[in-house]
Short mmCIF file of all heavy atoms in Angstrom, two decimals:
data_model
loop_
_atom_site.label_atom_id
_atom_site.label_comp_id
_atom_site.label_asym_id
_atom_site.label_seq_id
_atom_site.Cartn_x
_atom_site.Cartn_y
_atom_site.Cartn_z
N ILE A 72 -15.83 -28.42 26.19
CA ILE A 72 -15.56 -29.23 25.00
C ILE A 72 -16.74 -29.04 24.05
O ILE A 72 -17.89 -28.97 24.49
CB ILE A 72 -15.45 -30.72 25.43
CG1 ILE A 72 -14.28 -30.91 26.40
CG2 ILE A 72 -15.33 -31.66 24.25
CD1 ILE A 72 -12.93 -30.55 25.84
N GLY A 186 -9.92 10.80 29.62
CA GLY A 186 -8.56 10.69 30.18
C GLY A 186 -8.50 9.77 31.38
O GLY A 186 -9.52 9.38 31.95
N GLY A 190 -4.18 10.52 39.46
CA GLY A 190 -3.34 9.73 40.37
C GLY A 190 -2.83 8.45 39.76
O GLY A 190 -1.94 7.80 40.30
N THR A 266 -16.95 19.11 4.31
CA THR A 266 -15.74 19.87 4.64
C THR A 266 -14.78 19.00 5.46
O THR A 266 -13.57 19.01 5.25
CB THR A 266 -16.11 21.12 5.48
OG1 THR A 266 -17.32 21.65 4.98
CG2 THR A 266 -15.02 22.15 5.49
N LEU A 268 -14.65 15.69 5.43
CA LEU A 268 -14.10 14.62 4.58
C LEU A 268 -13.00 15.16 3.66
O LEU A 268 -12.05 14.46 3.34
CB LEU A 268 -15.21 13.99 3.74
CG LEU A 268 -16.16 13.07 4.52
CD1 LEU A 268 -17.42 12.78 3.71
CD2 LEU A 268 -15.46 11.77 4.92
#
Side-chain angles (χ1 to χ4, degrees):
I72 298 299
T266 322
L268 286 166

